[in-house]
Amino acid sequence: MRKLILLATLALAAALLPSALASASPAPAAAPAAAEAAPTAAQLLAKTAGCNQISNGKYKTDEDVSGKTVAVCDANGAVFWKADMDIDCDGQRTTECNEDTDCCFQADTAFHQSDGKPLNAAKLPYIVVPSSSSIWKYSSSGLKGGGSCAVIYNGKVEYAVIGDTGPSQIIGEASYATAKDLGINPDPSNGGTDSGVTYICFKNSAVSPIENHANAVSKGQSLATTFVNNN
């Protein structure tokens, strides 16, 4: 009789055990919320339709043009300009960027990698800002080396850093890598595009280290979202 009672008790416990364990198990973790989509090219361009000019006059797009047509415009959290794109191949010598491929090659950039070396124009998407002048001082707008920028062309957005400085009277230049990623011919001798490029640089921003493009994209997308929301 005791054996029968014991067997019945064991059978009941076995039947109840799975449900007891199930109720004691932690609930599965909720799926993470989807990351907010970065702004589209159209959304960014819609915020640059007007221009609150902060440059003291305008810039030329190339040395060999006479007209000064490009103004630097102020916005909430950013400055922007609409220009052409010349190809900057300065910095580290690479197969794409050297004295043979670029007549005006210089083995240095205004801003350097975290290891002290010049930037790699063939690898790193960066833009060039004009050297400070009476027209505009980029630092007075909260811009600096390693600052975050969005570059828009033909429906595409590239997130880049401020990597070099150029002539004080000319605007509209970016690295080989920037052009390539945007579908622009990156050849320093015959590449670039004459118009249609919008540069949006975010005030008081910094990508660290400057050479980490993944960080530039992450930072840029976040700042671009804020820019769209606040303008």
Side-chain angles (χ1 to χ4, degrees), residues 123-205:
K123 181 180 179 181
L124 180 69
Y126 69 74
I127 75 156
V128 180
V129 292
S131 297
S132 296
S133 71
S134 59
I135 300 176
W136 178 56
K137 295 181 180 179
Y138 64 87
S139 59
S140 68
S141 293
L143 305 189
K144 59 184 177 181
S148 176
C149 302
V151 188
I152 302 103
Y153 177 76
N154 197 24
K156 296 181 180 179
V157 182
E158 173 69 297
Y159 291 99
V161 293
I162 297 173
D164 205 359
T165 57
S168 61
Q169 307 293 312
I170 299 173
I171 202 167
E173 188 174 6
S175 69
Y176 181 106
T178 306
K180 183 179 179 181
D181 287 355
L182 286 170
I184 296 171
N185 179 2
D187 191 314
S189 63
N190 60 25
T193 184
D194 290 335
S195 63
V197 185
T198 299
Y199 303 79
I200 304 172
C201 289
F202 305 108
K203 298 175 182 178
N204 304 310
S205 64

Side-chain angles (χ1 to χ4, degrees), residues 12-26:
L12 179 61
L16 294 174
L17 184 58
S19 59
L21 289 175
S23 63
S25 299

